[in-house]
Amino acid sequence: MKTWQWLPAGYILFLLLINIVSIPFATTEMPEGCPDESYNCDYRIIALDVSDEELHDAMYDWQETRGFTTTFSEGHIVDRTLFMQFPDDVHYSNECGTVEIFSKSRLGRSDYGVNQDRVDEIIEFLLDYDFETTCQ
């Protein structure tokens, strides 16, 4: 076999390895912020008066815009980079008038601004979203 014929199998093996190695580094709940000197994390609080149910719906809609690279559960989204499929944890929570958003890469020391861009995108999406209810 020629070398280039092994590339698809090597790529799939690489993706599997990345996802297996990253499992122990997953965050399971909303952290209080990013660690000091972190270059692969972003945490923000925005003013948004919305019900929990509608926030979950909006975040589900946002992750749907990401295509096949995300997995969703209420309060936690795993978003993967498109080509290399590096998993990043996105957490969100609602405190009646404020929404916390946290995004952190599981692997690596720097993300070259990917998490900041992702949080910017989420905030823009939420501020443009047509919410019908407020928190109670």
Side-chain angles (χ1 to χ4, degrees):
M1 281 184 111
K2 296 183 182 186
T3 305
W4 63 270
Q5 291 174 321
W6 291 98
L7 286 177
Y11 175 70
I12 291 170
L13 183 63
F14 180 73
L15 295 181
L16 267 157
L17 185 62
I18 285 173
N19 282 284
I20 290 169
V21 168
S22 71
I23 290 171
F25 301 105
T27 56
T28 57
E29 55 189 43
M30 173 67 85
E32 292 185 16
C34 293
D36 291 340
E37 308 277 330
S38 175
Y39 300 106
N40 68 347
C41 178
D42 195 12
Y43 172 85
R44 294 195 230 158
I45 300 172
I46 61 169
L48 193 62
D49 188 16
V50 62
S51 70
D52 288 342
E53 184 177 325
E54 265 203 295
L55 177 61
H56 295 312
D57 291 345
M59 291 302 289
Y60 179 83
D61 290 347
W62 172 80
Q63 71 90 31
E64 284 288 303
T65 68
R66 307 293 283 180
F68 65 92
T69 63
T70 62
T71 53
F72 177 86
S73 60
E74 287 187 1
H76 182 220
I77 299 168
V78 178
D79 189 27
R80 292 173 180 82
T81 59
L82 185 59
F83 181 68
M84 299 304 281
Q85 297 290 298
F86 289 113
D88 297 345
D89 291 299
V90 178
H91 291 275
Y92 64 92
S93 67
N94 188 12
E95 293 295 327
C96 198
T98 61
V99 172
E100 295 177 78
I101 303 167
F102 171 86
S103 181
K104 183 176 187 304
S105 301
R106 288 187 188 177
L107 301 173
R109 294 185 54 100
S110 177
D111 66 2
Y112 303 103
V114 170
N115 286 295
Q116 181 178 358
D117 291 345
R118 180 183 295 117
V119 172
D120 287 343
E121 182 183 321
I122 291 170
I123 290 171
E124 183 178 336
F125 184 87
L126 291 175
L127 294 177
D128 290 342
Y129 197 83
D130 188 22
F131 292 107
E132 296 178 8
T133 61
T134 59
C135 65
Q136 290 143 345

